[in-house]
Amino acid sequence: MKQATQAAVNTPTPIETLSSRLEEDMRAVNGIILKRMDSPVKLIPQLASYLIAAGGKRVRPLLTLASTAIFDGDMERSHKLAAAVEFIHTATLLHDDVVDGSTERRGQEAANLIFGNQASVLVGDFLFSRAFQLMTEDGSLEVLGILSQASAVIAQGEVLQLTTANNLGTTMDDYIEVIQSKTAALFAAACEVGPVIAGANKDQQKAMADFGMNMGIAFQIADDTLDYMAEREKLGKATGDDFREGKMTAPVLLALKQANEEELRFWQRTLGDKNQKEGDIEYACEIFAKHKIIEQCFTMAEEYRDLAIESLHKAPESSLRLNLEELSTYVITRNH
Amino acid sequence: MKQATQAAVNTPTPIETLSSRLEEDMRAVNGIILKRMDSPVKLIPQLASYLIAAGGKRVRPLLTLASTAIFDGDMERSHKLAAAVEFIHTATLLHDDVVDGSTERRGQEAANLIFGNQASVLVGDFLFSRAFQLMTEDGSLEVLGILSQASAVIAQGEVLQLTTANNLGTTMDDYIEVIQSKTAALFAAACEVGPVIAGANKDQQKAMADFGMNMGIAFQIADDTLDYMAEREKLGKATGDDFREGKMTAPVLLALKQANEEELRFWQRTLGDKNQKEGDIEYACEIFAKHKIIEQCFTMAEEYRDLAIESLHKAPESSLRLNLEELSTYVITRNH
């Protein structure tokens, strides 16, 4: 029994497999990241490294590298663009951390709590600008178009999320639009860059973009579901952050659809009227258990994962493609 | 006497002269701005227009248009790029407004007070992304390089300003670096875009960039000085914001150099130790009067203005060039 556990622990995750197969490339990407986030203004690398070094799994740059390698593209160009993708991701993380007066983030030490809102915004802007400098140096207007469009869509999705918070009239379509924009668009762009610089045809570019998009949606649905699961605490992020912030995510939207009158009143009070008290999160989880909401959410995530794999299969068959396929399942199962 | 006043009121400012000479072009720029800041997520145009419509003088897009026209460049390209410049400027304004818990902005209704920090950050990100989309559509990697570099420098300058706040060891060189980065870099880029798309030679590109840079520095020194002048209240921005925020600007740095022991203790308490009380701003102004600090600051601004004009004279002679020359004096004298 002990041996079996040991073996399970030693089985590399798809992220680890990809990282080790693309080890040289990832080292090059990390080198570019370190070099380009440096600045004579020392608070910048200090704050950036706090986030970039902080156990980041570098999933997005891995997607860019793998999608380049699958199409036999120029890996040196891919290094720079993978770094650009990671910079955009880090910038959005920093900007996500910015809060308003009364808001408090629990569980994790967000960068803004240590360095302040203003520093988080400005260092995010710096990294965002650096991303565009890297792309400009690469010189592909097509890549610039893909990533500037993705950046606009991300911001749009985050604003949409802000305006749907605490709104019980939010639909599942609204929610999918939010996560497609704020999360999946960058996954899609990261995967599209590879075939673009490799000069693959439009169908293959679209297939990889669709793969990234659907994997990103699946990932975010799973992530939003895990926010209501106790195991989540292992990750250092407190359970129920989304509940406290009134985010209208998949579990809540499904529970609202299946709610009886008492449950409706509960959601109205806690999310609609922002009137939360001790024990509310636990009661929310009870409602989820009663209606098997968690299972329904993972089924939804799996459907998007299946769409992702369907698209991926339009790319040339290779062992890297298989790794990406495993990754798309891993991102929706990793913590339970 | 009354007639003279009337005439003075009716004399157009250099900004008005440029705006009316480039009226058609500015209309095109405004059209692009309105179209590109639109989004199905309505909070975005709502918040953006709050800032963009709010009496903005559009100095930066005017610089891009004028610097294109002087070199006989393609005005249609200039429209898009002038809009991109204005978007970058608006994004930095929105991000500037983001505050930390305890900070409060007086006098003006900053966007973040109405819409919240998070919305300000995200809409700023959206406009910033749109700027890069416009540049990508234009297709000049040289322009993309100039404006992505300027964006990184702006963020760097703002972070430097953050780290020098309340630091009495800040030097005049530090200060010049801050304003060169946070303000003048975008003026420089706005002026450089014109000769670049017009295919002017490198010397002329550099001359226009230097013109913008020195005018930007002159403008910011004057602006920082006006912050301590009573007349400033006419503009709707309360006098002494910089003092409250502990910004180490030109008047303070000059006063520190010329301070006696009592004055040093005053600056240490109010700016170094952030211990301010009623009447402190008035006392700061008394110190400035005693040492003729305001005059010294405007002399500094004039020196940079002279450098700006010297560079400008390397551009082909034209009446638009004369308007820009007048503008460089106007931006340091407008409010007193």
Side-chain angles (χ1 to χ4, degrees), chain A residues 225-244:
Chain A
T225 308
L226 289 162
D227 202 65
Y228 284 94
M229 294 169 71
E231 287 84 347
R232 187 66 171 177
E233 275 172 31
K234 285 184 207 154
L235 290 180
K237 192 184 167 189
T239 305
D241 269 353
D242 292 347
F243 183 75
R244 283 185 208 96

Side-chain angles (χ1 to χ4, degrees), chain A residues 127 135 162 181 316:
Chain A
L127 294 179
M135 288 181 254
L162 215 56
S181 307

Side-chain angles (χ1 to χ4, degrees), chain A residues 39-41 43-44 95 98-100 116-119 121-123 125-126 128-130 132-133 136 139 141 144-145 148-149 151-152 155-156 158-160 162-163, chain B residues 39-41 43-44 95 98-100 116-119 121-123 125-126 128-130 132-133 136 139 141 144-145 148-149 151-152 155-156 158-160 162-163:
Chain A
S39 159
V41 182
L43 182 58
I44 292 175
H95 287 183
V98 169
V99 294
D100 286 289
N117 276 339
Q118 292 181 326
V121 172
L122 298 172
V123 175
D125 288 351
F126 178 81
F128 200 52
S129 307
R130 277 282 184 266
F132 279 94
Q133 286 188 286
T136 302
L141 287 167
L144 275 157
S148 58
Q149 166 71 8
S151 301
Q156 206 163 263
E158 303 258 18
V159 177
L160 186 60
L162 215 56
T163 57
Chain B
S39 158
V41 183
L43 182 58
I44 292 176
H95 286 184
V98 169
V99 294
D100 285 287
N117 277 339
Q118 292 181 323
V121 173
L122 298 172
V123 175
D125 289 349
F126 178 81
F128 200 54
S129 306
R130 277 280 185 267
F132 279 93
Q133 285 187 286
T136 302
L141 287 168
L144 274 157
S148 58
Q149 166 70 8
S151 301
Q156 206 163 262
E158 303 259 18
V159 177
L160 185 60
L162 215 55
T163 56

Side-chain angles (χ1 to χ4, degrees), chain B residues 61-74:
Chain B
L62 276 174
L63 290 175
T64 299
L65 294 176
S67 75
T68 308
I70 285 176
F71 290 92
D72 208 15
D74 179 344

Side-chain angles (χ1 to χ4, degrees), chain B residues 72-235:
Chain B
D72 208 15
D74 179 344
M75 292 311 284
E76 228 171 287
R77 289 183 62 193
S78 194
H79 299 159
K80 264 195 178 180
L81 296 173
V85 166
E86 186 71 355
F87 276 166
I88 292 175
H89 171 58
T90 311
T92 64
L93 282 186
L94 279 165
H95 286 184
D96 265 1
D97 274 348
V98 169
V99 294
D100 285 287
S102 61
T103 322
E104 231 182 76
R105 210 160 259 240
R106 306 202 197 177
Q108 70 182 131
E109 285 192 304
N112 72 310
L113 289 186
I114 299 168
F115 301 97
N117 277 339
Q118 292 181 323
S120 289
V121 173
L122 298 172
V123 175
D125 289 349
F126 178 81
L127 294 179
F128 200 54
S129 306
R130 277 280 185 267
F132 279 93
Q133 285 187 286
L134 282 163
M135 289 181 253
T136 302
E137 285 171 26
D138 174 68
S140 161
L141 287 168
E142 203 172 348
V143 169
L144 274 157
I146 290 166
L147 281 164
S148 58
Q149 166 70 8
S151 301
V153 164
I154 291 168
Q156 206 163 262
E158 303 259 18
V159 177
L160 185 60
Q161 175 172 272
L162 215 55
T163 56
T164 58
N166 299 106
N167 179 355
L168 263 54
T170 306
T171 65
M172 191 58 88
D173 282 352
D174 294 333
Y175 167 71
I176 295 295
E177 198 186 325
V178 165
I179 65 175
Q180 187 166 329
S181 307
K182 75 164 190 170
T183 306
L186 191 57
F187 276 83
C191 292
E192 193 176 357
V193 166
V196 166
I197 61 177
N201 66 43
K202 286 282 166 199
D203 283 347
Q204 290 179 313
Q205 291 178 22
K206 188 178 177 319
M208 288 306 289
D210 287 347
F211 163 67
M213 182 65 86
N214 286 308
M215 178 172 61
I217 294 173
F219 160 74
Q220 192 61 56
I221 293 172
D223 201 57
D224 291 342
T225 307
L226 289 161
D227 202 67
Y228 285 94
M229 294 169 70
E231 287 86 344
R232 187 67 173 176
E233 274 172 32
K234 285 183 206 153
L235 292 180

